[in-house]
Amino acid sequence: AQSVAQPEDQVNVAEGNPLTVKCTYSVSGNPYLFWYVQYPNRGLQFLLKYITGDNLVKGSYGFEAEFNKSQTSFHLKKPSALVSDSALYFCAVRDYSNTGKLIFGQGTTLQVKP
Amino acid sequence: NAGVTQTPKFQVLKTGQSMTLQCAQDMNHNSMYWYRQDPGMGLRLIYYSASEGTTDKGEVPNGYNVSRLNKREFSLRLESAAPSQTSVYFCASTLDHVAGTGELFFGEGSRLTVL
């Protein structure tokens, strides 16, 4: 069965510093991987996805993610964090049951301090 | 462009009461989903509808029923609410669950408290 894990409940970084939010996955074939962001009292917003091709995927708001097949990871990165990046981030993998559903990790809270 | 619209945004119920959460999308998407979000547990799938006229159980379907009323609308019903159903509920949709590359579009959520 497909699954994703986000090993950190919370990540703290200073504004202007690079940030990384970690995600590892377990799938039986080639993964479709996603990152979403959730601001307080809001729905989830799509950031980026990896389907195939380049291992470095660029997305919204300056975020990017690196797909690493050997390490089964898909870490979210940003070169310079902003206070406004503070939010809850979810990694997800598409289920291979042909239903289109996504399987989500537990979420990582990102706190960017001024 | 409204995207995915959920109603109500907030609801307080007493144990045993029933209610229906409504969801509508205006993106001509084929597939729709209901998730619940609980602290530390991410999002868990309750029910989904791969296409109009079909519905299937997800990971946590007990205590819920759904109706795919038409292509736009997908409702979630709690027949006899329990405190364990206190959660934030999200409706989502995607264009094509087979051919699409998979990103889901989410509503703003419905916050339900069962006393």
Side-chain angles (χ1 to χ4, degrees):
Chain A
Q2 291 82 25
S3 65
V4 291
Q6 295 179 243
E8 302 155 317
D9 290 334
Q10 183 158 325
V11 171
N12 298 307
V13 297
E15 189 173 31
N17 282 359
L19 70 87
T20 299
V21 182
K22 296 179 180 178
C23 172
T24 58
Y25 65 89
S26 174
V27 300
S28 54
N30 292 323
Y32 285 13
L33 294 159
F34 304 81
W35 276 102
Y36 282 82
V37 60
Q38 184 182 31
Y39 299 101
N41 300 313
R42 302 296 300 276
L44 278 70
Q45 297 178 32
F46 169 74
L47 278 179
L48 52 79
K49 65 183 177 186
Y50 172 82
I51 304 300
T52 187
D54 288 343
N55 290 340
L56 186 63
V57 179
K58 294 189 183 296
S60 306
Y61 313 121
F63 283 94
E64 56 190 28
E66 186 171 11
F67 171 66
N68 188 317
K69 189 171 184 177
S70 63
Q71 297 186 5
T72 62
S73 66
F74 188 57
H75 300 332
L76 182 69
K77 300 181 179 184
K78 188 174 183 181
S80 179
L82 300 172
V83 172
S84 57
D85 292 330
S86 299
L88 181 59
Y89 290 81
F90 288 100
C91 182
V93 64
R94 185 176 178 181
D95 186 86
Y96 268 85
S97 61
N98 226 19
T99 60
K101 64 182 180 181
L102 295 184
I103 298 168
F104 287 86
Q106 304 94 316
T108 299
T109 298
L110 174 66
Q111 285 275 12
V112 182
K113 298 186 178 180
Chain B
N1 193 352
V4 179
T5 303
Q6 294 181 231
T7 56
K9 292 189 182 340
F10 301 93
Q11 185 72 49
V12 178
L13 292 176
K14 295 181 180 179
T15 296
Q17 289 184 318
S18 62
M19 77 159 300
T20 299
L21 301 179
Q22 307 285 356
C23 175
Q25 52 89 11
D26 62 3
M27 297 174 283
N28 201 33
H29 285 175
N30 291 312
S31 305
M32 299 184 72
Y33 308 83
W34 276 105
Y35 284 87
R36 60 177 288 174
Q37 181 183 21
D38 302 290
M41 303 189 74
L43 278 78
R44 294 179 293 168
L45 184 66
I46 305 171
Y47 269 94
Y48 64 96
S49 172
S51 59
E52 185 179 358
T54 68
T55 60
D56 285 286
K57 296 178 180 179
E59 184 184 356
V60 288
N62 290 345
Y64 305 96
N65 284 301
V66 291
S67 296
R68 183 75 182 265
L69 303 171
N70 47 55
K71 189 172 185 177
R72 290 186 64 246
E73 299 174 287
F74 188 40
S75 63
L76 178 71
R77 183 162 178 83
L78 287 70
E79 291 290 352
S80 179
S84 61
Q85 294 178 305
T86 294
S87 188
V88 182
Y89 292 85
F90 288 99
C91 179
S93 69
T94 194
L95 177 61
D96 187 320
H97 74 285
V98 176
T101 52
E103 64 263 39
L104 300 186
F105 296 81
F106 283 83
E108 292 288 285
S110 298
R111 286 152 182 81
L112 176 65
T113 300
V114 183
L115 303 175

